[in-house]
Amino acid sequence: MKFTALSLQSNRHVLIAYLVKELLLYFLIAFLFFFMVFFVNQILLMAEDILKKRVPIMDVARLMSYSLPFIIAQSAPFATLVGFLMCLGRMMTDNEILVIRASGNSFMVILLPVLILGGCISILSFFVNDYLLPLGTISYNKLYKEILFSDPSIELESNSVKRTEDATLVIGEVTDTLVSDLIFFDVNDQGQIRVIVSGQTEINNSTDPGILMNLTMDSAKVLAFDAADTSRYDVLQAGNTTMNVFASSFFSDTSSNNPREMTSFDLFKFIGQMQDEGTTSSLQMNMYKLEFHKKFSLPFASIFFALLAMPLAILFGKHNGLTVGLIIGIFLCVAYWAAMILGQTFGIRQGLSGFWTMWLPDFFVGGAGIVFYLVLVKK
């Protein structure tokens, strides 16, 4: 009996090692898939904003390298779900799960390595999301700012609307440094609205570090009026005028206040300072809390996905488990992503709790995993 117990324990160690190896292999395959999806998406975004403006290729490569922590942090949780579903689904189809159960092992023997590996992925993902991502974001914004100062026309796209922190620009056709038509709207501190219309505008660099660009306008017309009394207005016309666009319109003067450039510890302290000062609006405070919880909810989604993947793969992977796992995984990833986007949108715009909007998708996934596991055990 003692020999049998030792043999059984040894076999379980071999079994767990085998499961970890297979799960890790399929995770890496799924990770490469999601990594390429997000990587290509990032390239397409840069192609729209930067590449067509003839930015040096080395600068583009550096921007891409600074984006890698974001891509990795986004890919890991989804790769956990899809990879584990495909792996366990394949094992179910090949009757490997049946052999494991027939040898006297419970489902817990399968669930244990799944949760351990899911937890390890969550910890690594959290490190990337909490430490490398802020560093990448800071470096990305710094380099992008340098690129804009060297060629401010990058920020102005043909036939588009550009909104800054305090103004709106309606942009016509842009050719090199010339804009065919330009309409500028802004509101000053007294609530006076100003509208500037220019037939042709030339974009020039500025020697002042606080000014992003000079807009030299030809035949500019200026309309200024009070929104409370539109019957009174001023109209000015000039053959040639220059308007300075300040860098602060595009970049916050207090970059340290950007929650995506902080670690969770720094952000937690900053939120505490804002609460002590009591000068921050509830919507803005909720936005910072939302970003704080997002630093945890997204990376630790891996362990919730792992908990869900195991019973789903065994329940629905009897036939074509590899394909079924891929289809179910992609569907759940899209649903989870949509839930995160909606939660973030409602949290920022409507002031819904940052904790619940970021953690509710994880809790739902984890709850569903527990329910499916109980169904599996009772089946």
Side-chain angles (χ1 to χ4, degrees):
M1 293 297 293
K2 185 176 181 181
F3 176 77
T4 303
L6 289 175
S7 299
L8 183 59
Q9 185 177 10
S10 176
N11 290 337
R12 285 183 177 176
H13 288 162
V14 173
L15 174 60
I16 291 175
Y18 171 74
L19 287 171
V20 169
K21 184 186 72 172
E22 290 294 305
L23 289 168
L24 187 59
L25 174 62
Y26 279 88
F27 165 77
L28 292 176
I29 294 173
F31 178 82
L32 289 176
F33 168 76
F34 283 104
F35 181 88
M36 289 306 300
V37 169
F38 287 114
F39 187 78
V40 170
N41 178 67
Q42 191 71 15
I43 291 177
L44 293 176
L45 291 175
M46 287 191 175
E48 181 180 357
D49 295 336
I50 296 177
L51 290 177
K52 66 181 180 181
K53 296 293 186 178
R54 299 187 298 276
V55 174
I57 190 65
M58 288 304 299
D59 287 340
V60 176
R62 290 171 62 192
L63 288 174
M64 287 303 304
S65 67
Y66 296 146
S67 302
L68 290 181
F70 170 78
I71 297 173
I72 293 172
Q74 298 289 318
S75 302
F78 300 134
T80 302
L81 175 63
V82 174
F84 285 16
L85 278 171
M86 293 175 62
C87 176
L88 296 172
R90 193 274 304 166
M91 293 179 67
M92 187 65 186
T93 302
D94 294 344
N95 293 322
E96 292 185 25
I97 300 295
L98 180 62
V99 173
I100 293 173
R101 293 283 292 136
S103 62
N105 293 294
S106 66
F107 285 117
M108 186 58 65
V109 175
I110 304 172
L111 181 62
L112 182 61
V114 169
L115 293 180
I116 291 176
L117 191 55
C120 292
I121 294 171
S122 292
I123 293 172
L124 290 175
S125 180
F126 175 73
F127 170 76
V128 173
N129 192 64
D130 193 51
Y131 181 74
L132 298 183
L133 180 57
L135 290 179
T137 303
I138 293 171
S139 300
Y140 183 99
N141 291 338
K142 181 180 179 181
L143 178 57
Y144 190 76
K145 187 175 182 179
E146 292 175 359
I147 294 172
L148 282 188
F149 271 99
S150 64
D151 184 7
S153 63
I154 292 174
E155 196 67 21
L156 304 183
E157 302 176 15
S158 295
N159 305 313
S160 64
V161 177
K162 180 66 180 180
R163 292 179 175 86
T164 68
E165 293 187 356
D166 52 11
T168 300
L169 289 84
V170 181
I171 305 160
E173 192 68 30
V174 180
T175 306
D176 294 329
T177 60
L178 295 178
V179 182
S180 61
D181 297 285
L182 183 68
I183 305 176
F184 178 90
F185 302 87
D186 73 344
V187 181
N188 61 20
D189 296 336
Q190 289 73 40
Q192 188 179 49
I193 300 174
R194 181 177 58 167
V195 182
I196 303 175
V197 180
S198 173
Q200 180 169 291
T201 302
E202 183 177 1
I203 307 169
N204 299 308
N205 292 351
S206 174
T207 56
D208 190 325
I211 298 176
L212 179 62
M213 68 182 84
N214 301 124
L215 300 178
T216 303
M217 301 179 174
D218 183 30
S219 301
K221 295 181 180 180
V222 182
L223 172 64
F225 60 91
D226 192 333
D229 185 8
T230 56
S231 62
R232 301 179 61 184
Y233 56 87
D234 295 319
V235 178
L236 303 174
Q237 185 169 352
N240 185 277
T241 186
T242 299
M243 182 176 68
N244 295 325
V245 178
F246 291 93
S248 58
S249 298
F250 292 88
F251 305 100
S252 174
D253 292 331
T254 55
S255 59
S256 61
N257 293 351
N258 185 347
R260 298 184 181 181
E261 296 181 355
M262 303 182 194
T263 64
S264 58
F265 179 74
D266 293 333
L267 182 55
F268 180 79
K269 290 198 303 181
F270 186 74
I271 291 174
Q273 292 175 3
M274 290 192 299
Q275 289 176 333
D276 293 338
E277 293 172 359
T279 58
T280 307
S281 66
S282 58
L283 279 177
Q284 187 176 10
M285 178 67 73
N286 189 64
M287 186 271 289
Y288 279 93
K289 290 182 178 179
L290 184 149
E291 290 292 338
F292 173 77
H293 290 294
K294 186 179 178 181
K295 290 180 180 293
F296 293 89
S297 64
L298 183 59
F300 283 98
S302 292
I303 195 167
F304 292 98
F305 279 142
L307 176 61
L308 177 63
M310 182 264 184
L312 278 183
I314 297 177
L315 288 172
F316 301 102
K318 187 175 183 179
H319 304 288
N320 299 319
L322 196 65
T323 303
V324 171
L326 176 62
I327 294 173
I328 294 176
I330 294 295
F331 174 79
L332 290 177
C333 287
V334 173
Y336 180 88
W337 182 260
M340 289 289 289
I341 294 298
L342 287 175
Q344 189 167 342
T345 301
F346 282 107
I348 293 175
R349 296 184 179 180
Q350 305 297 327
L352 297 182
S353 169
F355 173 84
W356 287 110
T357 53
M358 289 296 97
W359 281 105
L360 192 60
D362 285 2
F363 293 157
F364 181 81
V365 169
I370 293 174
V371 170
F372 280 114
Y373 181 78
L374 294 176
V375 171
L376 179 63
V377 172
K378 293 180 180 180
K379 188 175 179 181

